[in-house]
């Protein structure tokens, strides 16, 4: 199923403020959205205390009240969401700020939607009961680029019972505003920058390969790939230079704009499943699996691979379409070699016995119908074996 109704070719309602060192301005942005603010973050993702203090002070200048909700420790579960949504209701919040990385943003999207609807998390994500009201306005402040998830209309939450990650998409899950400030993520280590950049690359490729992709989504995703390929190495070699990191943040936003309509695909589904079964995070999973997913889809999406090869600055003149498509995979692997990024799940102590369970869970995600060709569960397992 597409992320948005099938009749919509393109929609991206969120506002974006993208600027280095703009945390002190957040209050002036939010005052036009709400006055009773709850800032949601997980304890694990409560990063860059100095910037968070600046943001909180800015919010307090322009709001009637600001509360930091950090009761969620790490991965967001259904019970965490129900407690958070209840807190939003009793505090009379009229605005939510999600500050952090992947889990904090998932929590912010889901809790803001539950807070205005008479639903529990399990009913929304498993019972698939549709919300009847728009959620509380949500402002997302990512502490690092989030492979586009910071601005997309979907989220994933861990089920308390089976511990599997459940996915939900709805046009009301779009944030109201994304404030992307590369200064907040200035302290990212070289390894964090590498895996984050490659995960954005993975998300952009996923959205291009989607059968719901169109010229608008593909153009933004290709620009995202181009920005990553040109800036990922400088961002690592010059950690204090915010210019390349600024481009990585831009690439993440562009990937998010693309996936909001075209959907993510196989790499994301496998990565969600891997993060459920193993200790890998979403960024590590996406970066490991990308080359293997690309090799699997090469023959079915050769024309799209040619565009990807060009975005990677590969020379595709005077060669066949298949040869040019292979150049796209080669271009990706060149970046991996230069950054010394692992390309095997076994390098992260993932057990081979876990692969069937990962394949089974990945096959359950509804957005896999966006793939260019049908994908039986046994073929998903074959890709995982190749990545092992």
């Amino acid at each position: 199923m597409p992320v948005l109704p099938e009749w919509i070719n393109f929609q991206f309602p969120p506002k974006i403020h993208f600027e280095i060192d703009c945390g002190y301005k957040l209050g002036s942005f939010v005052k036009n959205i709400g006055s009773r603010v709850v800032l949601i973050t997980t304890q694990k993702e409560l990063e860059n205390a100095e910037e968070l203090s600046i943001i909180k002070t800015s919010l307090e200048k322009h709001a009637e009240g600001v509360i930091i909700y950090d009761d969620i420790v790490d991965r967001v579960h259904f019970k965490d969401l129900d407690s958070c949504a209840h807190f939003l209701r009793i505090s009379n919040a009229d605005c939510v700020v999600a500050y952090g990385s992947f889990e904090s943003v998932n929590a912010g999207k889901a809790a803001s939607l539950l807070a205005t609807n008479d639903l529990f998390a399990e009913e929304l994500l498993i019972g698939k009961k549709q919300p009847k009201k728009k959620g509380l306005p949500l402002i997302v402040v990512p502490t690092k680029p989030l492979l586009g998830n910071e601005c997309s209309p979907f989220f994933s939450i861990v089920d308390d019972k089976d511990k599997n990650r459940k996915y939900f998409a709805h046009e009301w899950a779009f944030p109201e505003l994304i404030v992307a400030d590369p200064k907040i993520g200035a302290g990212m280590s070289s390894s964090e920058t590498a895996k984050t950049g490659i995960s954005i690359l993975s998300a952009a490729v996923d959205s291009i390969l989607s059968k719901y992709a169109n010229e608008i989504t593909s153009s933004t995703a290709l620009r995202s790939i181009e920005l990553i390929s040109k800036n990922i190495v400088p961002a690592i070699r010059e950690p204090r230079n915010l210019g390349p990191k600024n481009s990585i943040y831009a690439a993440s936003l562009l990937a998010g704009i693309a996936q909001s309509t075209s959907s993510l695909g196989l790499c994301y589904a496998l990565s969600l499943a891997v993060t459920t079964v193993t200790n890998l995070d979403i960024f590590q999973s996406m970066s490991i699996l990308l080359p293997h997913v690309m090799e699997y889809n090469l023959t079915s999406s050769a024309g799209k691979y040619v565009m990807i090869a060009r975005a990677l600055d590969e020379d595709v003149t005077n060669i066949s379409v298949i040869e040019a498509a292979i150049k796209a995979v080669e271009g990706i692997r060149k970046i991996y070699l230069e950054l010394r990024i692992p390309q095997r799940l076994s390098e992260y102590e993932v057990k081979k016995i876990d692969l069937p369970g990962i394949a089974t869970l990945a096959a359950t995600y509804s957005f896999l119908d966006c793939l260019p060709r049908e994908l039986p569960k046994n073929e998903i397992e074959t890709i995982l074996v190749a990545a092992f």
Side-chain angles (χ1 to χ4, degrees):
M1 68 174 200
V3 178
L4 301 172
E6 288 188 62
W7 56 270
I8 297 176
N9 297 113
F10 185 81
Q11 179 187 11
F12 189 74
K15 306 172 185 70
I16 294 177
H17 187 88
F18 179 38
E19 180 186 5
I20 296 174
D21 192 16
C22 63
Y24 70 95
K25 299 179 181 179
L26 189 63
S28 61
F29 303 152
V30 174
K31 72 177 183 181
N32 299 312
I33 298 172
S35 60
R36 296 182 59 83
V37 181
V38 172
L39 189 150
I40 297 174
T41 184
T42 67
Q43 293 174 22
K44 187 175 181 179
E45 295 176 358
L46 194 58
E47 301 169 319
N48 202 331
E50 184 178 343
E51 283 297 320
L52 178 58
S53 177
I54 291 170
I55 286 170
K56 186 172 183 290
T57 300
S58 176
L59 289 169
E60 287 171 338
K61 287 179 180 177
H62 297 275
E64 293 177 12
V66 179
I67 303 171
I68 294 180
Y69 185 90
D70 60 353
D71 286 3
I72 303 168
V73 178
D74 185 5
R75 295 182 180 181
V76 188
H77 293 70
F78 287 175
K79 286 182 180 177
D80 296 320
L81 269 189
D82 290 334
S83 297
C84 185
H86 177 67
F87 182 82
L88 292 174
R89 294 186 196 106
I90 63 173
S91 63
N92 292 319
D94 61 8
C95 178
V96 175
V97 174
Y99 176 91
S101 187
F102 185 68
E103 294 295 345
S104 300
V105 173
N106 279 330
K109 288 179 182 177
S112 62
L113 197 56
L114 288 171
T116 58
N117 288 275
D118 188 20
L119 293 171
F120 290 106
E122 184 175 357
E123 294 175 312
L124 185 69
L125 285 115
I126 296 181
K128 298 299 180 185
K129 289 187 177 180
Q130 293 300 309
K132 296 181 179 179
K133 299 177 183 177
K134 287 187 176 182
L136 295 174
L138 173 68
I139 295 92
V140 173
V141 184
T143 52
K144 64 177 70 171
L146 299 182
L147 56 102
N149 275 201
E150 61 266 47
C151 48
S152 59
F154 48 79
F155 50 83
S156 61
I157 306 295
V158 178
D159 187 341
D160 297 283
K161 294 177 183 175
D162 62 17
K163 306 305 179 186
N164 289 338
R165 193 175 283 274
K166 301 300 193 294
Y167 169 91
F168 183 81
H170 195 282
E171 58 187 304
W172 286 347
F174 270 121
E176 180 85 9
L177 170 68
I178 304 103
V179 179
D181 180 0
K183 187 184 175 187
I184 296 175
M188 290 170 61
S189 66
S190 296
S191 60
E192 283 182 312
T193 302
K195 71 179 182 181
T196 300
I198 297 301
S199 69
I200 296 167
L201 201 63
S202 306
V205 171
D206 250 6
S207 67
I208 290 170
L209 297 182
S210 167
K211 69 183 182 184
Y212 300 117
N214 56 47
E215 289 186 4
I216 299 173
T217 63
S218 294
S219 296
T220 53
L222 288 167
R223 179 57 177 158
S224 176
I225 291 170
E226 185 181 349
L227 284 171
I228 293 295
S229 66
K230 290 180 178 177
N231 290 280
I232 186 70
V233 173
I236 292 169
R237 289 179 179 168
E238 307 168 43
R240 295 187 180 182
N241 181 1
L242 288 180
K245 275 197 172 72
N246 193 55
S247 295
I248 292 174
Y249 267 79
S252 184
L253 293 169
L254 288 168
I257 291 169
Q259 69 194 232
S260 293
T261 299
S262 66
S263 177
L264 290 172
L266 180 56
C267 196
Y268 190 62
L270 287 171
S271 298
L272 287 179
V274 167
T275 62
T276 300
V277 177
T278 74
N279 291 322
L280 290 176
D281 63 37
I282 191 74
F283 307 100
Q284 290 168 325
S285 304
M286 292 283 279
S287 62
I288 294 168
L289 292 165
L290 174 61
H292 308 285
V293 171
M294 287 191 72
E295 286 179 348
Y296 173 81
N297 282 318
L298 194 147
T299 54
S300 63
S301 303
K304 292 184 175 182
Y305 276 43
V306 176
M307 296 190 298
I308 294 170
R310 290 192 181 115
L312 293 168
D313 209 20
E314 293 289 321
D315 185 4
V316 294
T317 55
N318 301 320
I319 58 175
S320 69
V321 171
I322 291 297
E323 288 172 322
I326 292 171
K327 286 271 192 180
V329 182
E330 290 176 350
I332 295 290
R333 290 200 181 273
K334 284 178 189 175
I335 297 173
Y336 277 63
L337 291 172
E338 190 164 7
L339 298 180
R340 298 180 182 178
I341 292 177
Q343 299 178 45
R344 299 287 173 189
L345 291 168
S346 55
E347 294 182 61
Y348 285 96
E349 299 181 1
V350 176
K351 298 174 184 176
K352 201 166 188 177
I353 196 172
D354 292 332
L355 301 186
I358 293 171
T360 299
L361 178 57
T364 65
Y365 291 122
S366 58
F367 59 87
L368 282 184
D369 74 346
C370 76
L371 299 182
R373 58 173 168 156
E374 191 176 344
L375 185 67
K377 177 181 162 292
N378 64 309
E379 289 195 37
I380 296 178
E381 196 168 335
T382 299
I383 296 168
L384 288 168
V385 170
F388 184 77

